[in-house]
């Protein structure tokens, strides 16, 4: 007896149900649910193709003179530059490579794509290259951490050790856990909200207990990004899983209605980081932290994306920066006021 997948319809089960798109045999639902940041009910598979952005190869040696690593998001983070340098030793607690700025920002079109890299650890004390990870410690720490949308953190742990150090990480909710609540399932909504504003990507650098002169390196780093077809690349593949939403409401734009349209800007609520479902209240005053069982999927998560608001330029411009709201005109409103004041002062002096 065959099971009909949730989002599939048709006599031959060869079409997507309403509010879903992109029929795939590997998809447990058959088709991917439209998300559209809850601003449209209809979408189709986009016609974009997979292309890649790349990062430089990097290497650290544990020796003198040593550079100290930093502590961010409860992780020990290496420096992005220089590409090769000496680092302080660590223990079994791993160090992480930060991905470059070009991997960050709005990465909603990386959904269902892959992050690829090759990581190697060389143990000079034992004179061994490409030492495989300690299987007892391999899955204790995440291999990749994505930080986004101001307070969301997603973690990826591979199921098995790669003998050649090459890993391919699927940017799909089924592969990730929440850094805040590992017991809760990560949803498509969580993934899309995080990808809309990626603020950091960290890739694990060390998998062994390093000794002096040991080395760690990362190479062949790439991130899939859906783009308009490059006619010079005949091998481009359709970016399956990247939606194109229809009829975004007034004030919104983007393939997933995630951005402000021209004449609008993204506005965040003043208290968007401390909504009641995640706020720590003062225990001395009789309050306590209360997390609802499904708090990761509460509608309030949308406040992390912000809402489209008309530009407020006092009639001097119809457009503004879509992220900051700063008015874009030939000269600023402040300059306009300054010129008026200067003119008035000149008139007063002439009257005297």
């Amino acid at each position: 007896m065959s099971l009909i997948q949730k989002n599939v319809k048709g006599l031959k089960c060869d079409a997507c149900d309403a509010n879903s798109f992109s029929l795939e045999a590997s998809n447990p639902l058959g088709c991917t649910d439209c998300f559209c940041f809850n601003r449209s009910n209809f979408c189709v598979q986009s016609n974009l193709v997979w292309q890649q952005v790349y990062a430089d190869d990097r290497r650290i040696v544990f020796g003198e003179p040593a550079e100290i690593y930093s502590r961010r998001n409860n992780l020990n983070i290496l420096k992005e530059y220089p590409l090769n340098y000496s680092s302080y030793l660590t223990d079994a607690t791993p160090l992480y490579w930060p991905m470059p700025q070009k991997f960050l920002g709005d990465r909603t079109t990386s959904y269902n794509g892959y992050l690829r890299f090759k990581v190697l650890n060389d143990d000079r004390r034992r004179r061994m290259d490409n030492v495989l990870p300690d299987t007892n410690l391999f899955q204790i720490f995440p291999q990749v951490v994505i930080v986004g949308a101001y307070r969301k953190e997603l973690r990826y742990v591979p199921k098995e050790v790669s003998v050649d150090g090459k890993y391919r990480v699927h940017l799909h909710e089924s592969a990730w856990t929440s850094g805040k609540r590992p017991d809760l399932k990560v949803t498509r909504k969580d993934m899309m909200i995080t990808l809309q504003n990626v603020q950091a990507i960290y890739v694990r650098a060390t998998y062994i207990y390093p000794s002096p002169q040991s080395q760690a390196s990362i190479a062949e780093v790439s991130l899939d990004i859906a783009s308009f077809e490059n006619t010079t690349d005949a091998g481009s593949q359709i970016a399956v899983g990247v939606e194109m939403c229809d009829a975004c409401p007034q004030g919104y734009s983007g393939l997933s209605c995630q951005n402000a349209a021209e004449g609008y800007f993204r506005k965040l609520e003043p208290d968007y980081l401390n909504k009641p479902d995640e706020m720590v209240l003062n225990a001395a005053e009789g309050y306590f932290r209360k997390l609802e069982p499904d708090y990761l999927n509460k509608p309030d998560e949308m406040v992390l994306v912000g809402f489209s608001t008309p530009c407020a330029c006092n009639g001097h411009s119809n457009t503004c920066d879509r992220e900051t709201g700063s008015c874009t005109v030939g000269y600023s409103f402040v300059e306009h006021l300054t010129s008026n004041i200067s003119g008035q002062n000149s008139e007063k002096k002439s009257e005297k």
Side-chain angles (χ1 to χ4, degrees):
M1 182 179 69
S2 62
L3 297 177
I4 299 177
Q5 293 167 304
K6 174 178 176 289
N7 290 339
V8 175
K9 67 176 183 178
L11 293 176
K12 297 182 179 180
C13 297
D14 57 354
C16 291
D17 202 351
N19 305 326
S20 67
F21 70 105
S22 185
L23 180 64
E24 291 181 275
S26 60
N27 189 335
L29 299 178
C31 301
T32 299
D33 288 320
C34 293
F35 179 57
C36 302
F37 286 82
N38 295 343
R39 292 162 183 160
S40 176
N41 293 321
F42 179 75
C43 73
V44 296
Q45 167 65 48
S46 76
N47 59 357
L48 303 185
V49 298
W50 288 126
Q51 295 186 3
Q52 290 72 41
V53 291
Y54 299 91
D56 293 322
D57 296 350
R58 286 182 272 175
R59 178 183 296 272
I60 56 168
V61 178
F62 294 102
E64 299 294 339
E67 299 275 354
I68 190 64
Y69 42 80
S70 61
R71 185 75 176 169
R72 298 198 296 272
N73 300 104
N74 294 317
L75 301 172
N76 294 332
I77 308 300
L78 294 164
K79 297 173 61 175
E80 184 176 348
Y81 293 103
L83 299 178
N84 302 286
Y85 72 96
S86 297
S87 171
Y88 273 106
L89 280 168
T90 183
D91 51 21
T93 304
L95 303 177
Y96 286 81
W97 300 106
M99 293 297 98
Q101 186 67 35
K102 60 184 175 181
F103 279 41
L104 312 183
D106 186 345
R107 289 290 167 247
T108 51
T109 58
S110 291
Y111 179 83
N112 207 39
Y114 289 87
L115 172 67
R116 302 174 183 83
F117 51 85
K118 179 180 181 180
V119 285
L120 296 178
N121 285 189
D122 300 335
D123 188 342
R124 289 292 174 256
R125 180 174 59 83
R126 293 185 289 171
R127 298 181 180 179
M128 296 174 61
D129 294 337
N130 188 19
V131 179
L132 294 180
D134 184 335
T135 54
N136 294 322
L137 300 174
F138 182 62
Q139 293 186 325
I140 292 178
F141 302 98
Q143 185 179 51
V144 182
V145 176
I146 299 180
V147 179
Y150 305 101
R151 71 184 188 197
K152 297 188 74 67
E153 181 181 302
L154 302 181
R155 298 187 170 207
Y156 170 82
V157 177
K159 294 180 179 179
E160 57 186 24
V161 173
S162 169
V163 175
D164 61 4
K166 294 183 179 180
Y167 292 90
R168 192 174 73 146
V169 180
H170 195 192
L171 296 174
H172 186 277
E173 58 273 12
S174 59
W176 297 76
T177 60
S178 167
K180 292 186 176 182
R181 289 289 301 274
D183 56 312
L184 293 182
K185 182 180 179 181
V186 173
T187 65
R188 171 159 159 76
K189 177 181 178 180
D190 293 317
M191 198 76 197
M192 289 293 284
I193 289 177
T194 304
L195 290 177
Q196 187 276 324
N197 183 11
V198 176
Q199 295 164 305
I201 302 176
Y202 303 120
V203 176
R204 185 173 173 180
T206 56
Y207 295 82
I208 61 174
Y209 202 120
S211 58
Q213 299 309 309
S214 294
Q215 299 182 17
S217 63
I218 187 169
E220 302 176 24
V221 184
S222 69
L223 174 67
D224 285 344
I225 295 178
S227 305
F228 289 103
E229 185 168 8
N230 183 352
T231 55
T232 62
D233 186 358
S236 295
Q237 296 181 333
I238 291 293
V240 174
V242 176
E243 67 185 2
M244 183 171 67
C245 300
D246 182 58
C248 295
Q250 183 175 349
Y252 292 95
S253 65
L255 284 177
S256 296
C257 303
Q258 77 274 25
N259 296 324
E262 184 174 356
Y264 295 79
F265 72 98
R266 188 189 313 278
K267 184 176 182 179
L268 297 172
E269 292 186 10
D271 200 31
Y272 67 99
L273 291 180
N274 296 309
K275 299 305 288 184
D277 58 354
E278 293 193 35
M279 195 186 325
V280 180
L281 300 176
N282 191 342
E285 296 179 4
Y287 294 91
F288 61 95
R289 180 197 293 267
K290 181 180 180 182
L291 295 177
E292 297 184 22
D294 198 33
Y295 84 100
L296 282 181
N297 303 315
K298 299 293 289 183
D300 272 348
E301 289 278 294
M302 292 302 297
V303 303
L304 302 176
V305 179
F307 303 94
S308 186
T309 303
C311 298
C313 300
N314 298 298
H316 297 278
S317 175
N318 294 322
T319 61
C320 60
D321 185 284
R322 299 189 194 191
E323 296 298 328
T324 67
S326 298
C327 297
T328 53
V329 312
Y331 60 97
S332 70
F333 185 51
V334 172
E335 291 173 329
H336 171 75
L337 291 177
T338 303
S339 64
N340 279 351
I341 293 172
S342 299
Q344 292 171 1
N345 289 339
S346 298
E347 290 175 3
K348 290 180 180 179
K349 287 180 181 179
S350 62
E351 289 176 358
K352 292 180 180 179

